Amino acid sequence: MKSIIAFGASSSSTSINQQLAVWSANQLEGVEIKVVDLNDFEMPIYAMDKEIAAGVPELAKTFKKLVDDADGILISFAEHNGSYSAAFKNI
């Protein structure tokens, strides 16, 4: 069975983007759906110096594995000041 990860690209607990991603994923048939919450993968603001000193954060590695293992990704993007949310940019 194909697997899909779905999430709203927002860190808001009341995100309509998260709700839309979950609703949209549930419209798909014949796939296993894993709903992801970006709040579970909170990242420090990226900086090369931090990466050199401490390496890639474990939560980033975990998120990457979720993406790598999925057959598809469904994202509902949140617009924030004409761009993506900071939570999505960091992940």
Side-chain angles (χ1 to χ4, degrees):
M1 178 178 285
K2 300 281 185 183
S3 66
I4 303 286
I5 62 170
F7 62 93
S10 170
S11 58
S12 171
S13 63
T14 59
S15 171
I16 61 171
N17 295 98
Q18 184 73 4
Q19 294 171 32
L20 178 60
V22 170
W23 180 85
S24 298
N26 283 310
Q27 303 312 300
L28 302 172
E29 295 179 5
V31 296
E32 177 185 341
I33 300 163
K34 175 154 182 68
V35 175
V36 176
D37 185 337
L38 287 189
N39 289 306
D40 295 336
F41 299 94
E42 192 169 316
M43 298 287 136
I45 294 176
Y46 182 79
M48 185 57 83
D49 292 339
K50 287 183 180 183
E51 184 177 335
I52 290 169
V56 175
E58 287 302 313
L59 287 176
K61 292 177 186 177
T62 301
F63 187 83
K64 182 178 183 309
K65 179 157 178 35
L66 285 172
V67 171
D68 288 346
D69 291 347
D71 295 304
I73 304 169
L74 193 153
I75 307 171
S76 177
F77 283 95
E79 181 275 331
H80 182 74
N81 292 330
S83 188
Y84 306 122
S85 68
F88 182 75
K89 288 177 188 177
N90 283 350
I91 194 66

